[in-house]
Each structure stands twice: as C-alpha cells, then as structure tokens.
Amino acid sequence: MKKRFFFTEQEENGFDLFRKNCISCHSDPLFTNDSFADNGLPLDSDYKDYGRVKITQNPKDSFNFRVPTLRNIEFTYPYMHDGRFKKLREVINFYTDGTVKRKTLAKELQKPIRLNENEKKDLIAFLLTLTDKEFLFNPKYSYPK
C-alpha cells in the first residue's frame, strides 16, 4: 500500500509561497531546472569565483552557477556553490534581502521576493518536506562495507 502524504497547514502555506517564488528555477520532480543562473550572490573575496564565464568565456555567463536540486535539502548544507550559508534561514534571508542587482541577474530574481517572518518559517517548513529520511537512512542504499 502506497503511503499518502499530507501537508500541515504551515507546510501547505510554504508550498504556496514556493510555487509563487521558487518553482521557476526549482521545478519538480527534482526541484531543479538543470540550468545555470545568476542568483545575485555577492562575489566571495577569497574564492573570486565568477561562475560559468570561466569555462564558456561568454560574459553573459558571469556569476552563473548550476541551479541545485532541493531534494534532501535538510542534509545538503552548507548552501550555495561556495558553502557560505549554514542554515536554510540564511538562504531565505539572502533571497529576500541580499541579492546583488547586476546585468546577469536571473530574470526570475529581478523583482524582489518579499516574505515576512512567518512566511519564511512556512517556506522552510515546506522545504524540509523535500527530505526523504526513509531513503537517506535505509541501510539497503548505504555505501557498501
């Protein structure tokens, strides 16, 4: 018998926010669009990683990084291509308050994402539903000993 999954009210609210703000880049079933995009992350002064432009030599690829899957996001920290964020809250705060506006910024992020504190909590509650602990911790799928 297949398990049925139901969201709590908070997770449902978060799912609605996700569909409104995130799904264009993080589409199901893998919660990625398998593309590269500029998410507005400021340049890290240590790594000086300018993204895909180093490979393609195309200026339009400046600050473009692979759009990651959000599957099992609870266990895939640190977040962003350079691991600068340790918590999902930091990632959400970045997308609501910290994106750098530049020519290469993804069109989906041109308009600011506005979320209040409760909406941020709801979004995180939904994101945590994308973790499959039953799969992740099943010895049947673990590294062979």
Side-chain angles (χ1 to χ4, degrees):
M1 180 179 196
K2 190 172 182 172
K3 274 192 193 177
R4 298 192 75 183
F5 185 80
F6 297 98
F7 288 143
T8 65
E9 185 178 343
Q10 185 179 37
E11 292 164 346
E12 184 71 41
N13 292 340
F15 181 51
D16 290 341
L17 291 165
F18 179 84
R19 284 190 299 203
K20 180 181 175 190
N21 296 292
C22 314
I23 205 159
S24 59
C25 294
H26 297 282
S27 53
D28 58 4
L30 298 178
F31 294 90
T32 179
N33 61 10
D34 278 327
S35 69
F36 292 82
D38 178 352
N39 64 354
L41 202 62
L43 180 66
D44 181 285
S45 58
D46 292 327
Y47 296 118
K48 294 189 176 41
D49 190 347
Y50 291 92
R52 193 163 164 78
V53 68
K54 286 187 174 185
I55 307 234
T56 66
Q57 302 299 306
N58 183 341
K60 290 180 182 176
D61 287 335
S62 293
F63 297 101
N64 282 1
F65 297 95
R66 182 173 294 283
V67 176
T69 180
L70 299 182
R71 295 290 310 266
N72 298 315
I73 193 164
E74 184 177 357
F75 294 102
T76 58
Y77 60 89
Y79 303 107
M80 303 314 222
H81 72 280
D82 57 6
R84 70 177 66 191
F85 299 132
K86 307 289 184 258
K87 298 178 185 263
L88 284 173
R89 170 155 298 282
E90 293 174 284
V91 175
I92 302 299
N93 287 340
F94 161 72
Y95 281 112
T96 57
D97 303 319
T99 56
V100 174
K101 308 298 184 215
R102 52 184 166 240
K103 290 189 297 188
T104 56
L105 183 65
K107 69 180 182 340
E108 297 85 357
L109 296 171
Q110 296 289 331
K111 201 171 107 184
I113 296 173
R114 305 261 188 245
L115 299 174
N116 64 39
E117 288 306 308
N118 285 333
E119 289 171 327
K120 290 177 184 181
K121 290 175 188 173
D122 292 350
L123 181 56
I124 290 170
F126 166 72
L127 290 173
L128 294 177
T129 71
L130 301 178
T131 296
D132 184 352
K133 292 179 184 172
E134 205 170 295
F135 171 78
L136 287 175
F137 299 114
N138 187 332
K140 182 175 168 181
Y141 305 117
S142 66
Y143 189 78
K145 293 181 182 180

